[in-house]
Amino acid sequence: QVQLVESGGGLVQPGGSLRLSCATSGIIFSTYTMGWYRQAPAKQRELVAAITSGGRTNYADSVKGRFTISRDNAKNTVYLQMNSLKPDDTAVYYCNAYLVGHYWGQGTRVTVSS
C-alpha cells in the first residue's frame, strides 16, 4: 500500500532551521507531484511548497526565500528545508503526493518558539 512518512519536525527557536523529509513507498515516486502542506491550530490546511515530476517548484508567498523544496527520485523522498523560521510557521506539516488522486502522510509537528 501507499505510505508517506514524514520526519524532521520539532521545536526550534525563531530564526532557526529545520529540514523535513518525507519517505514514500507504494507509488512510482518520480511521476508524482510532491507537496508540503501545513495546518496551524484553528486554521485551514494550506499549501507550503510543491515540486513537479519535472522539478518545477512553487511556494506560498509567506515562505518564499526561506523554504526550499527538493526531491531525490533515487530515494523516493521529498524534502523541505526551512530557514529563518518564524512563530507563524508553527503547524503540523503534511507531505502530499498527487497524480490522479492525493495521498497524505500523517504529519510532523513544527513548533517555532523561544
Side-chain angles (χ1 to χ4, degrees), residues 61-101:
D61 287 344
S62 59
V63 306
K64 281 180 182 176
R66 299 189 298 123
F67 291 11
T68 302
I69 189 170
S70 61
R71 64 192 298 159
D72 186 336
N73 289 342
K75 295 183 178 180
N76 297 333
T77 299
V78 62
Y79 305 97
L80 185 67
Q81 178 67 44
M82 305 187 295
N83 299 328
S84 303
L85 282 160
K86 306 175 181 180
D88 282 351
D89 295 318
T90 294
V92 178
Y93 284 71
Y94 296 91
C95 178
N96 174 268
Y98 172 72
L99 186 58
V100 175

Side-chain angles (χ1 to χ4, degrees), residues 17-18 65 81:
S17 298
L18 283 175
Q81 178 67 44

